[in-house]
Amino acid sequence: MTSTKKARPPRAHYRKNEVFYGYLFIAPFYLLFLIFQLYPMLWSFVLSFYKWNGISPKTFVGLANYKAVLSDQMFWDSMRNTFWYLAANLLFILPLALLLGQLLCSRSVRARKLHKTILVLPYITSTAAAGILFSMLFDANIGVINGLLQKLGLSAVPWLTSVEWSKMPVMLLSIWRNTPWYMLIVMSAILGVDAHLHEAARIDGANAFQRMVHITLPAIAPVLFFSLINLTIDSARIFTEPYILTKGGPGSSSLSVVQYLYTTGFDSFQLGYASTIGYMLTFVLLIVSVFYFISLRKQSGEG
């Protein structure tokens, strides 16, 4: 008797199966993206041309919502406040993240794992819990901050109830919470720099500051640029910190754009106008991002 071997399918058949199963495994992400991100984005853009309270029939108003936003003083107040939050985050978070990341990557620092754990705690703490903690710290009557000021002979400051100071606790809470995340990003980039470059520079007599400026910073520049873009977007979307600490007040002194969007859409039920606010913020972020990329390209061309 002669045994006949079963013919194997061609290699192309296996490759088709691999491609099919590959797309099958990534399909849940794209399905969720289409349902919960892309569709709401497109729907809210369409909704920005309508007047709608969520219950009665929609009324097409064209560009009326966008014209109304341009003359809305509350919107511009919230944009101004958001700009201050963005400026404070850019001014402090990235430099602090770079400094802490460099220190934790240094061999001279002992118990680095312990220090890293302690520094990451603010980021993994719930924003709501951190907001409640900061509201107690900055309370005008029983707050620890005012208690320290009075011990130093200074007068108490109404941090959360004054127009002049209400943004300060929001900024400090945002910096305190977000710095650890960017510290971890910077640390991962620093650890990826070739150690032989630092060793060669050390032999040539370069000190720690010179090695950081001429070796570390150029090597991690793409990561810093990514962090800059990400931090800009995160800062522009700030919501929980001002909402918990000050409710956006007094007046609109600490109101953020996303908080104004939320109150317009879900307190006043002006869903079309809220969508317009969201897309105005999106347009501003697009302009800022384009400015970042143009600046980076010019610097790269000059280099």
Side-chain angles (χ1 to χ4, degrees):
M1 296 178 63
T2 58
S3 59
T4 58
K5 292 184 178 180
K6 193 174 182 179
R8 296 181 61 183
R11 186 180 297 271
H13 175 74
Y14 288 107
R15 289 189 175 179
K16 287 181 179 180
N17 286 339
E18 289 177 358
V19 172
F20 171 77
Y21 287 115
Y23 280 113
L24 185 64
F25 277 112
I26 64 175
F29 166 78
Y30 286 102
L31 184 62
L32 294 174
F33 173 78
L34 290 173
I35 296 175
F36 294 105
Q37 291 192 19
L38 184 60
Y39 174 74
M41 286 171 56
L42 297 176
W43 170 242
S44 62
F45 180 71
V46 173
L47 196 60
S48 67
F49 298 100
Y50 286 84
K51 182 179 180 181
W52 190 42
N53 61 5
I55 300 175
S56 60
K58 298 186 294 295
T59 303
F60 181 76
V61 294
L63 296 175
N65 286 332
Y66 289 92
K67 293 179 181 178
V69 165
L70 294 177
S71 59
D72 186 353
Q73 185 60 43
M74 189 76 75
F75 170 76
W76 291 112
D77 288 344
S78 65
M79 283 291 294
R80 190 179 305 109
N81 296 334
T82 303
F83 171 78
W84 281 111
Y85 299 145
L86 169 62
N89 285 347
L90 293 179
L91 185 62
F92 289 100
I93 289 180
L94 287 182
L96 284 174
L98 181 61
L99 176 62
L100 293 173
Q102 185 69 33
L103 288 174
L104 291 177
C105 290
S106 176
R107 296 179 181 177
S108 59
V109 177
R110 297 181 179 179
R112 285 184 292 177
K113 291 184 179 180
L114 176 62
H115 289 102
K116 189 189 303 182
T117 302
I118 294 173
L119 290 172
V120 171
L121 284 177
Y123 181 73
I124 63 177
T125 303
S126 168
T127 310
I132 295 173
L133 174 63
F134 268 65
S135 65
M136 292 189 293
L137 289 174
F138 286 94
D139 188 90
N141 300 315
I142 61 172
V144 175
I145 305 299
N146 278 342
L148 293 175
L149 291 177
Q150 290 173 348
K151 285 186 178 296
L152 295 173
L154 302 174
S155 59
V157 177
W159 298 102
L160 304 176
T161 57
S162 67
V163 175
E164 294 81 9
W165 297 102
S166 59
K167 285 188 283 292
M168 184 65 67
V170 177
M171 294 177 183
L172 292 175
L173 176 56
S174 179
I175 293 169
W176 180 75
R177 281 207 71 254
N178 291 298
T179 299
W181 170 245
Y182 291 95
M183 178 194 72
L184 293 176
I185 295 175
V186 171
M187 277 185 61
S188 64
I190 293 175
L191 292 173
V193 178
D194 191 354
H196 294 89
L197 297 176
H198 285 279
E199 188 63 28
R202 189 182 295 109
I203 293 173
D204 290 338
N207 57 36
F209 179 76
Q210 291 172 332
R211 293 197 302 271
M212 184 182 71
V213 172
H214 297 289
I215 297 177
T216 303
L217 287 180
I220 67 172
V223 175
L224 291 178
F225 180 72
F226 162 78
S227 299
L228 177 65
I229 296 291
N230 199 41
L231 180 58
T232 300
I233 296 173
D234 287 344
S235 301
R237 298 187 306 174
I238 187 172
F239 169 78
T240 309
E241 290 87 345
Y243 184 79
I244 292 178
L245 283 175
T246 62
K247 302 296 182 183
S252 59
S253 59
S254 63
L255 184 72
S256 68
V257 176
V258 176
Q259 189 179 355
Y260 183 43
L261 184 155
Y262 174 84
T263 56
T264 302
F266 298 101
D267 289 346
S268 303
F269 295 101
Q270 302 178 43
L271 300 181
Y273 193 66
S275 300
T276 305
I277 295 172
Y279 268 92
M280 288 295 291
L281 177 60
T282 302
F283 296 150
V284 172
L285 288 176
L286 284 175
I287 294 172
V288 173
S289 299
V290 169
F291 171 76
Y292 283 159
F293 279 103
I294 292 176
S295 301
L296 178 66
R297 183 170 297 179
K298 285 183 178 179
Q299 291 178 1
S300 300
E302 291 174 359

